[in-house]
Amino acid sequence: MNVPLSYLEPQPLWKHFYRLTQIPRPSGHEEHIRSFMSGFGTSLGLHTSVDDAGNVLIRKPATPGMEHCKGVILQAHLDMVPEKESDSPHDFRHDPLTPFVDGEWVRARGTTLGADNGIGVAAIMSILESSSLPHGPLEALLTSNEENGMSGAFGLRSDLLQGDILLNLDSEDEGELFTGCAGGLEGTVTFTCGQQKPPADYRGYDIRIRGLKGGHSGMDIHLGRGNANKIMNRLLFEAYLRHGILLGSLDGGGLRNAIARESTARIAIPSRSERDVLATLERHAGIIRKELSTTDPGMEIEAEPAPLPDSIMDDGSLQKLLRITAAFPDGVMRMSHEMPGLVETSNNLASMRAEGGRATIACLLRSSVDSARDDLQRMIESIAGLAGAEAVFDGAYPGWKPDPESEVLQLMQHVYEHTFGHSPQVRAVHAGLECGIIGAACPGLDMISFGPTIRSPHSPDERVQIASVSRFMDLLTATLAEVPAHHTSEKHA
């Protein structure tokens, strides 16, 4: 359906969202979007600054009559996850995205859409630009590098913000208000691999896995989708045990917060056993296809002739890699008892690299319970230690504990019921929202997170539901109009 995004409602938001899709902004390369947003704030005559962490802050005075209302911080992140189909030539650092309307959804051709969190940024832009929407004092906090370590939120100065209420616009289920999130920790396991020349009587093959759905390693981890790294290890382990195949290189997965969709391995097969090896691979590929026929019907597993690797892992190194990966935790570890249906603890085996004498496994641990996260860390450390590998953990970020007495929660429940005629759901989320980090840096903020309906973020199937965007914007503007005044006992910065 060839409908320009600017024709969708609300038009100001979609106009700005389209502009954002034309500006490259993968995590870690946000110079263009940062410059654009800084120029946008300045062009409106608003106080605009960029801090040392790359965050953009724009302040807008209250509309007449609302000067004494509590200050509101509208918060979203500038970057997007750069995931694409294997055959896409897209260069996220230089090429614009190609968004299009697909029925009731907007998606992009062959890549992630960047609705996470471009819709939130576009909503903020439309509010900053508006001369008719009522609101109290506003601050727009646009953080950097959220998808790859949340370094912008971590670098936030405690004295930067003046507001009392923070509205995080980075959730993905319209009709739900989020009041808590999981904390996280990055883990990396590495070891040195012995290398040797492949025997002359071996032939080279490439094994490729692609077509998995992948998705967000927090929001989608409970869906049981296939992980390309785990699948590849099953195939290699079976072929190794039965036929003694050798491994030249391995490259699987990508970002820590995305479930691995693709993996490629360059192997060496004994020439005398070539037909048997391929039959074993196909047989077990069929077993895995059957297991994942519901969650990943588009999965493809192929084995094709390739040049013989220049070098291969020695037998001890290959066994170490296969056994570590087989034992490595992946997926849901425990569900929450306090909030039915919510994942408490999980691990995402995000990426695997093995080449040139070194193997690296990267993962992301999440939990809303610190002790459970620590136990999961110890599990991974133990697996690595038993195998003689090194495990390093860093990039920890705190969770956000729900506050049932939150004033902004009560306000938004009332506004939602009045606007839409029914109650919203109140939930916590098994993902890393910046609220936990910002709340730790700026104690006392009353926070809530909400957004439109986005499906399959962090994958090329990412899409945002058009009707939900309109409802999301209605809720946001109605909330801003109803923000209460300061109590006389409160001190306003």
Side-chain angles (χ1 to χ4, degrees):
M1 186 175 181
N2 191 22
V3 176
L5 266 59
S6 60
Y7 285 16
L8 303 176
E9 294 290 345
Q11 288 187 4
L13 183 152
W14 286 108
K15 174 190 71 175
H16 291 306
F17 179 70
Y18 178 77
R19 294 173 70 186
L20 295 174
T21 66
Q22 303 306 290
I23 303 170
R25 51 191 174 96
S27 301
H29 302 282
E30 299 147 70
E31 56 276 4
H32 298 301
I33 188 64
R34 187 179 298 114
S35 176
F36 173 77
M37 289 307 305
S38 180
F40 176 79
T42 301
S43 71
L44 296 175
L46 302 177
H47 172 85
T48 304
S49 62
V50 179
D51 68 9
D52 293 340
N55 304 312
V56 177
L57 181 71
I58 305 173
R59 290 196 173 100
K60 183 180 182 183
T63 54
M66 299 189 70
E67 294 86 355
H68 301 295
C69 290
K70 291 189 173 185
V72 174
I73 304 156
L74 301 175
Q75 192 262 315
H77 62 82
L78 295 169
D79 59 319
M80 65 170 286
V81 168
E83 286 280 313
K84 63 181 181 178
E85 300 289 0
S86 58
D87 58 352
S88 170
H90 188 88
D91 182 347
F92 280 99
R93 293 187 61 180
H94 301 98
D95 299 340
L97 303 175
T98 309
F100 67 99
V101 175
D102 181 15
E104 62 178 297
W105 304 87
V106 171
R107 61 177 74 224
R109 299 193 189 281
T111 69
T112 38
L113 173 64
D116 172 14
N117 189 213
I119 292 291
V121 176
I124 293 172
M125 292 174 71
S126 64
I127 290 169
L128 293 176
E129 186 181 57
S130 173
S131 59
S132 60
L133 295 174
H135 56 76
L138 289 182
E139 292 172 283
L141 175 62
L142 306 168
T143 52
S144 66
N145 202 39
E146 188 269 352
E147 300 288 9
N148 192 25
M150 302 192 189
S151 59
F154 274 115
L156 188 68
R157 298 198 321 269
S158 60
D159 61 349
L160 183 66
L161 302 176
Q162 299 176 356
D164 311 281
I165 295 169
L166 185 138
L167 303 182
N168 171 279
L169 310 182
D170 190 22
S171 292
E172 292 152 7
D173 289 282
E174 190 276 323
E176 299 183 353
L177 305 177
F178 292 91
T179 61
C181 70
L185 179 67
E186 297 180 359
T188 306
V189 174
T190 58
F191 61 91
T192 300
C193 306
Q195 298 286 287
Q196 60 189 43
K197 289 288 185 181
D201 57 343
Y202 277 59
R203 296 191 60 182
Y205 267 83
D206 280 343
I207 303 176
R208 292 189 179 90
I209 300 171
R210 56 192 173 190
L212 292 161
K213 286 188 176 181
H216 191 293
S217 68
M219 302 294 290
D220 298 326
I221 199 71
H222 65 290
L223 298 177
R225 293 174 179 170
N227 183 312
N229 293 317
K230 279 287 195 176
I231 295 170
M232 179 63 80
N233 197 71
R234 288 177 64 178
L235 294 171
L236 295 178
F237 213 157
E238 193 66 30
Y240 169 79
L241 292 174
R242 289 181 176 273
H243 308 288
I245 64 140
L246 307 173
L247 180 64
S249 61
L250 177 65
D251 185 357
L255 296 175
R256 292 180 191 265
N257 55 6
I259 300 169
R261 297 183 303 109
E262 299 178 351
S263 180
T264 300
R266 174 68 57 86
I267 64 173
I269 295 176
S271 298
R272 66 184 182 281
S273 307
E274 181 178 358
R275 183 173 299 178
D276 293 338
V277 173
L278 295 178
T280 294
L281 290 172
E282 180 55 36
R283 182 169 59 254
H284 283 271
I287 292 170
I288 296 169
R289 288 190 192 99
K290 186 174 181 179
E291 291 175 0
L292 299 176
S293 60
T294 300
T295 59
D296 292 276
M299 181 183 65
E300 299 176 4
I301 300 177
E302 300 173 338
E304 299 177 343
L308 192 66
D310 293 331
S311 63
I312 55 164
M313 286 187 190
D314 63 27
D315 187 69
S317 299
L318 178 54
Q319 282 202 41
K320 182 185 292 189
L321 178 66
L322 295 174
R323 294 186 186 280
I324 288 177
T325 309
F328 213 90
D330 178 68
V332 176
M333 300 290 109
R334 181 180 170 88
M335 300 297 291
S336 171
H337 289 289
E338 289 75 21
M339 301 189 74
L342 177 69
V343 178
E344 177 208 275
T345 305
S346 74
N347 186 56
N348 180 43
L349 202 174
S351 69
M352 295 184 63
R353 306 282 183 269
E355 191 172 24
R358 190 169 184 80
T360 302
I361 301 172
C363 64
L364 177 58
L365 301 74
R366 299 181 192 265
S367 185
S368 53
V369 178
D370 288 346
S371 58
R373 183 196 64 193
D374 295 343
D375 187 56
L376 180 57
Q377 175 183 342
R378 191 171 296 112
M379 182 189 302
I380 295 171
E381 286 175 331
S382 298
I383 292 168
L386 288 169
E390 180 184 17
V392 175
F393 297 87
D394 55 19
Y397 56 87
W400 166 32
K401 186 176 180 180
D403 176 12
E405 303 303 318
S406 163
E407 186 177 25
V408 70
L409 171 60
Q410 295 173 26
L411 168 64
M412 292 196 69
Q413 286 178 301
H414 168 75
V415 170
Y416 195 96
E417 291 169 1
H418 183 266
T419 304
F420 302 114
H422 59 93
S423 300
Q425 293 185 356
V426 179
R427 293 183 54 197
V429 63
H430 187 68
L433 294 174
E434 292 170 291
C435 296
I437 302 168
I438 296 171
C442 306
L445 284 176
D446 195 0
M447 303 184 293
I448 202 162
S449 178
F450 63 105
T453 297
I454 298 173
R455 291 292 174 260
S456 300
H458 301 188
S459 83
D461 195 37
E462 180 187 0
R463 58 200 185 277
V464 59
Q465 188 182 48
I466 297 167
S468 74
V469 173
S470 181
R471 293 190 294 270
F472 156 70
M473 195 63 185
D474 287 345
L475 177 60
L476 174 57
T477 55
T479 299
L480 293 178
E482 296 293 331
V483 169
H486 279 278
H487 304 303
T488 56
S489 62
E490 292 179 349
K491 182 179 179 181
H492 182 39

